[in-house]
Structures are given as C-alpha cells and as structure tokens.
C-alpha cells in the first residue's frame, strides 16, 4: 500500500454539468507502454487488475475527453491526467 494520493479517474463534463460516458474508442495496454511505470504508481487499481481498471476508465470516461487539449488519444488521456496529478501531489 502506497501512502500517497493516487488517481481514480478523470471525468470530462460539458457546460450543462452532465458527464458523458462511453463515447467510442477502446483501451489497449500497448497504448500506454511508455508510461506504464508511472501508471502503476499513480493510477493503481485498488481491486483487480490494472489493465481492467484502466480499460474501464478509458472506455467510459477517457473516450469522451477527445476534445480536451492533449486528450485526443488513449496515451494523451492518461499522460495528461498523470501530468495534472504530478502538479498536485
């Protein structure tokens, strides 16, 4: 158990305040291979496999963040979120 603040997710929202979900696209572990160590440290699953957790987070939330700066790809979604986390931790 790490004694640090970790990421659970990044949820996009629209001006009406709603949170869109499942906007198309899918997670492949190879998409984040270059940041895997950061992901395992900053964004671990608390229950189950990391890949399943990350897949759920991308498919449900990250796929709806494609219009946000830097988040137009699977890598961009996770890498940008980790960058925000690094500035807050």
């Amino acid at each position: 158990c790490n004694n640090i603040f970790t990421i659970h997710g990044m949820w996009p929202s629209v001006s009406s305040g709603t949170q869109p979900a499942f906007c198309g696209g899918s997670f492949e572990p190879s998409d984040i291979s270059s940041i895997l160590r950061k992901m395992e440290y900053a964004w671990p699953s608390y229950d189950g496999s990391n890949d399943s957790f990350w897949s759920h987070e991308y498919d449900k939330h990250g796929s709806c963040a494609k219009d946000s700066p830097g988040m137009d790809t699977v890598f961009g979604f996770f890498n940008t979120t980790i960058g925000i986390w690094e500035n807050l931790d």
Side-chain angles (χ1 to χ4, degrees):
C1 176
N2 292 329
N3 196 14
I4 63 165
F5 168 75
T6 61
I7 301 167
H8 176 80
M10 173 67 78
W11 298 276
S13 61
V14 295
S15 60
S16 67
T18 61
Q19 294 179 340
F22 299 106
C23 297
S26 62
F27 169 83
E28 291 294 331
S30 61
D31 292 331
I32 59 164
S33 61
S34 64
I35 57 169
L36 185 59
R37 287 190 181 186
K38 283 185 179 184
M39 290 290 294
E40 291 171 338
Y41 182 76
W43 203 328
S45 173
Y46 73 92
D47 183 32
S49 81
N50 285 335
D51 285 348
S52 293
F53 175 50
W54 298 332
S55 178
H56 166 78
E57 288 303 305
Y58 182 78
D59 294 350
K60 184 171 183 182
H61 306 294
S63 65
C64 299
K66 293 177 184 175
D67 292 336
S68 299
M71 295 190 171
D72 57 335
T73 63
V74 173
F75 173 81
F77 171 74
F78 287 108
N79 194 52
T80 299
T81 303
I82 286 177
I84 294 167
W85 172 83
E86 288 173 330
N87 286 324
L88 297 174
D89 190 37

